Amino acid sequence: MLLVVAAALRVALRPASRATGAYACLLALAAAAGVIVPDTAQSENVSGEVALASQLVDRGLAITPATPTVQAALFWSSPNAWSVGVSAGSEAKSPGHPAEAQAQLSRHVALSDDWQMQGSLLYYHVAGTAHVRTYDRAEAGADWIYRDILTLGVSAIASPGAKSARPRPAADLNVRWPLPWRLSVSAGAGVAQYVIAPYHSSYRYDHTGTYYYGQAGLRWSRNAWRVEVNRIATDPAIRQQLKGLAASPWLASLSWSF
């Protein structure tokens, strides 16, 4: 199933006109979900989210400049705990140029009344910036979740475009605690190895390394609406080495789910 979604992503991300590129991408993502999801299950198992954020950030690295971005996601879950998700994001000022898109296949398993585990496969496409770009990647991961409060995740990441096919590790620990007045606070930290390629494909080297990142934030939610502000921290070394990929220190988002 993941291969079907990945193929749809590649079709969606082919060059398109500035006026329709991002919308064609999102329609193709929805179509990919429709291929996988049986018609009889869509009415009760399909959900989604639309969000406006100040920047797209992935594991402490900036996917877009610090400018308003629009994201959309579509999810399907089955009665036996399988789920498929597709999403895409674009700068609001350049809707014809999707900045990132991803497809994910996952399975939840209940370990006890308090603990559950999620295994996932993910294909991630990043369009890149004017100076550097990250390789597209395939990722296999496992998360252990305690009461939706604590999440520990480990991943193995492969970058098909890199010179080395060796999987690269990543690990994340995140905590979220509910507060009165529909508020909650969160904090997290992680470590990963990045693979960066020069924007010009004629260059023949990879830039690799290990870096650390983290965040702390405050969230307010009411029904389908959510507002969140996070303070982003990235390893100072990566700010010196890869200035084009250093995320802004503050990240704000407004989202609506359905």
Side-chain angles (χ1 to χ4, degrees), residues 8-92:
L9 283 174
R10 291 182 180 275
V11 172
L13 293 168
R14 288 175 182 169
S17 67
R18 294 181 60 88
T20 62
Y23 302 104
C25 178
L26 295 178
L27 287 174
L29 293 174
V35 169
I36 298 170
V37 181
D39 292 341
T40 55
Q42 288 190 16
S43 61
E44 59 183 20
N45 292 316
V46 173
S47 60
E49 185 174 80
V50 179
L52 177 66
S54 58
Q55 187 178 32
L56 292 183
V57 177
D58 177 50
R59 286 195 172 106
L61 300 183
I63 303 302
T64 66
T67 185
T69 60
V70 179
Q71 297 170 277
L74 184 67
F75 307 97
W76 172 79
S77 59
S78 71
N80 58 354
W82 285 95
S83 64
V84 175
V86 288
S87 65
S90 175
E91 294 181 36

Side-chain angles (χ1 to χ4, degrees), residues 25-190:
C25 178
L26 295 178
L27 287 174
L29 293 174
V35 169
I36 298 170
V37 181
D39 292 341
T40 55
Q42 288 190 16
S43 61
E44 59 183 20
N45 292 316
V46 173
S47 60
E49 185 174 80
V50 179
L52 177 66
S54 58
Q55 187 178 32
L56 292 183
V57 177
D58 177 50
R59 286 195 172 106
L61 300 183
I63 303 302
T64 66
T67 185
T69 60
V70 179
Q71 297 170 277
L74 184 67
F75 307 97
W76 172 79
S77 59
S78 71
N80 58 354
W82 285 95
S83 64
V84 175
V86 288
S87 65
S90 175
E91 294 181 36
K93 64 182 180 181
S94 302
H97 298 277
E100 58 88 20
Q102 62 178 287
Q104 180 173 335
L105 171 67
S106 60
R107 174 82 188 277
H108 286 80
V109 178
L111 302 178
S112 68
D113 292 340
D114 296 327
W115 286 91
Q116 60 179 314
M117 180 181 177
Q118 174 181 295
S120 61
L121 296 173
L122 180 144
Y123 178 81
Y124 195 65
H125 169 85
V126 180
T129 69
H131 303 291
V132 286
R133 63 176 174 85
T134 56
Y135 286 120
D136 291 0
R137 71 174 189 258
E139 182 173 331
D143 295 289
W144 290 267
I145 306 162
Y146 177 76
R147 292 186 175 182
D148 293 326
I149 294 175
L150 181 146
T151 302
L152 171 64
V154 294
S155 300
I157 305 166
S159 302
K163 291 167 60 177
S164 172
R166 177 178 61 87
R168 301 177 184 276
D172 297 88
L173 178 64
N174 293 283
V175 179
R176 183 173 299 278
W177 191 260
L179 299 174
W181 306 300
R182 304 181 184 275
L183 296 171
S184 63
V185 293
S186 64

Side-chain angles (χ1 to χ4, degrees), residues 183-235:
L183 296 171
S184 63
V185 293
S186 64
V191 56
Q193 284 191 341
Y194 59 81
V195 180
I196 305 300
Y199 186 78
H200 298 290
S201 59
S202 59
Y203 295 161
R204 297 293 183 181
Y205 67 88
D206 300 317
H207 190 97
T208 62
T210 299
Y211 73 102
Y212 302 89
Y213 53 91
Q215 74 281 334
L218 180 67
R219 173 191 290 185
W220 176 87
S221 58
R222 181 181 177 87
N223 299 326
W225 292 94
R226 185 173 75 235
V227 179
E228 191 164 0
V229 177
N230 283 280
R231 171 70 176 182
I232 307 296
T234 309
D235 193 337

